[in-house]
């Protein structure tokens, strides 16, 4: 990127709720410029590792300013770390000692809210304990702050959080985690309901807030609004795109890929999209 354009980009400021804010230092939190700058700065790392560690089974997976590097042994991993430190030093950066660790795959590590670990030689990717703890705390905070709101409003506050988290984690080994979180939500909601009606019995509370929907006798619903479950989102493994495919030429391939990654509710839209694209 041209340095002049980059400087103007960084100093352009931003609008929040109609109010203009200057950006004289750093970057706006949550802004797209931060990962863009990280990717620009770290470009060349893969080339360095490929050149310096040729035939040493070193692989780099990078997402903005987070990355994982795999190596065939601890000795090679130490050499890779030293090479990366030199690469970053040239750019005025340094590794975070707190976040930088060299671990065996049998011990596992967290990356992008997932835990990567081999169990008896089989690699399993699961939602990390930290991610589960964070979503549990988020749900608990929402429910505790909703003591006086209606059931419908509470459902509307919870549903986007539950759906967003489960969709993010649907591509890994999450079924058991989803089930445990469903139980956690039920327990939190039961306490919420009991606090609202301290003089009512358990059966009355159950009939008031939980009803039978699609063969489930414990659905938190008002009949107009129904609470989503984590386990409502089905596990869907991610399939890598064939890198040689062109979305403008290999339309049939991308249509078939789309069919394999969509839910029944969106099938009709993808059908028309594919039909129109293919002509």
């Amino acid at each position: 990127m041209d340095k002049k354009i980059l400087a103007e980009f960084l100093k352009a400021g931003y609008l929040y709720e109609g109010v203009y804010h200057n950006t004289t230092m750093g970057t706006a939190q949550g802004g797209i410029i931060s990962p863009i700058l990280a990717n620009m700065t770290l470009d060349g790392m893969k080339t360095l590792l490929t050149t310096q560690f040729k035939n040493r089974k070193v692989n780099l997976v990078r997402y903005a300013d987070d990355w994982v590097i795999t190596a065939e042994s601890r000795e090679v991993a130490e050499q890779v770390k030293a090479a990366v430190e030199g690469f970053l030093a040239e750019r005025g950066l340094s590794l975070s000692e707190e976040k930088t660790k060299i671990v065996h795959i049998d011990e596992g590590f967290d990356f992008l809210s997932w835990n990567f670990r081999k169990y008896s030689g089989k690699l399993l990717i699961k939602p990390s304990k930290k991610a589960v703890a964070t979503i549990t705390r988020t749900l608990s905070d929402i429910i505790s702050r909703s003591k006086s709101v209606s059931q419908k409003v509470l459902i509307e506050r919870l549903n986007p959080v539950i759906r967003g988290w489960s969709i993010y984690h649907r591509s890994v080994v999450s079924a058991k985690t989803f089930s445990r979180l469903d139980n956690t939500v039920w327990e939190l909601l039961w306490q919420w309901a009991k606090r609202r009606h301290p003089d009512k019995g358990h059966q009355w509370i159950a009939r008031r807030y939980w009803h039978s929907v699609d063969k489930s006798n414990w659905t938190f619903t008002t009949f107009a609004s129904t609470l989503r479950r984590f386990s409502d989102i089905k596990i869907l493994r991610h399939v890598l795109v064939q890198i040689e495919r062109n979305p403008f030429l290999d339309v049939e391939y991308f249509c078939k890929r789309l069919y394999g990654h969509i839910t029944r509710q969106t099938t009709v839209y993808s059908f028309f999209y594919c039909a129109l694209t293919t002509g």
Side-chain angles (χ1 to χ4, degrees):
M1 179 182 287
D2 183 271
K3 291 184 178 179
K4 182 179 179 181
I5 294 177
L6 176 60
E8 292 177 351
F9 198 115
L10 292 173
K11 296 179 181 180
Y14 65 95
L15 288 174
Y16 180 70
E17 295 184 348
V19 179
Y20 174 80
H21 299 268
N22 286 317
T23 51
T24 56
M25 296 178 61
T27 58
Q29 184 175 1
I32 62 172
I33 189 62
S34 181
I36 290 175
L37 290 175
N39 280 316
M40 291 172 59
T41 304
L42 297 176
D43 275 348
M45 184 185 295
K46 184 173 182 179
T47 302
L48 168 71
L49 297 178
T50 302
T51 303
Q52 190 167 335
F53 298 93
K54 188 177 182 180
N55 301 324
R56 298 301 298 273
K57 297 181 180 179
V58 172
N59 296 288
L60 167 68
V61 177
R62 181 159 62 89
Y63 185 86
D65 57 349
D66 291 321
W67 68 79
V68 171
I69 301 176
T70 62
E72 59 187 9
S73 66
R74 174 172 284 274
E75 179 184 2
V76 175
E78 294 284 1
Q79 295 173 5
V80 169
K81 181 182 177 183
V84 170
E85 287 175 335
F87 175 86
L88 295 176
E90 294 178 0
R91 292 156 175 77
L93 302 172
S94 62
L95 288 175
S96 168
E97 292 298 328
E98 179 185 354
K99 297 181 179 180
T100 304
K101 299 178 182 179
I102 297 178
V103 298
H104 195 278
I105 190 61
D106 290 344
E107 179 184 346
F109 61 90
D110 290 349
F111 182 58
L112 302 179
S113 297
W114 292 333
N115 179 261
F116 296 73
R117 182 180 173 184
K118 273 191 174 182
Y119 297 83
S120 301
K122 182 177 181 180
L123 176 65
L124 295 181
I125 306 172
K126 303 179 181 180
S128 68
K129 292 181 179 179
K130 183 178 179 180
V132 174
T134 299
I135 188 61
T136 300
R137 186 167 54 251
T138 298
L139 295 169
S140 179
D141 289 344
I142 292 174
I143 294 173
S144 64
R145 293 197 308 267
S146 303
K147 296 177 181 178
S148 60
V149 305
S150 66
Q151 183 183 10
K152 181 176 181 295
V153 171
L154 177 57
I155 291 173
E156 291 172 348
R157 292 179 179 179
L158 291 173
N159 273 346
V161 177
I162 293 173
R163 177 174 172 78
W165 197 90
S166 53
I167 287 178
Y168 178 82
H169 293 280
R170 72 184 302 178
S171 61
V172 298
V173 183
S174 303
K176 291 183 178 180
T177 301
F178 287 175
S179 179
R180 287 195 295 267
L181 285 172
D182 285 337
N183 291 334
T184 298
V185 172
W186 186 93
E187 292 172 358
L188 291 171
L189 291 175
W190 183 255
Q191 295 300 321
W192 173 85
K194 287 202 303 181
R195 282 195 299 266
R196 291 170 68 91
H197 307 284
D199 299 328
K200 297 294 184 180
H202 289 180
Q203 291 185 0
W204 186 94
I205 293 174
R207 289 194 300 268
R208 171 68 174 78
Y209 293 102
W210 282 268
H211 306 280
S212 296
V213 177
D214 295 333
K215 298 181 180 181
S216 174
N217 296 326
W218 286 92
T219 300
F220 193 73
T221 179
T222 63
F223 292 106
S225 298
T226 299
L227 182 71
R228 290 181 176 274
R229 292 186 176 91
F230 285 90
S231 52
D232 288 340
I233 301 298
K234 303 306 178 184
I235 302 300
L236 186 63
R237 299 287 180 247
H238 175 70
V239 179
L240 293 176
V241 177
Q242 296 177 11
I243 194 64
E244 71 277 5
R245 297 288 189 171
N246 186 314
F248 297 100
L249 301 177
D250 302 303
V251 177
E252 183 178 357
Y253 165 78
F254 283 97
C255 283
K256 289 181 178 179
R257 178 180 172 82
L258 182 62
Y259 282 131
H261 286 73
I262 56 178
T263 60
R264 292 180 179 179
Q265 289 85 348
T266 57
T267 300
V268 62
Y269 300 105
S270 65
F271 171 77
F272 284 118
Y273 166 79
C274 291
L276 290 172
T277 306
T278 55

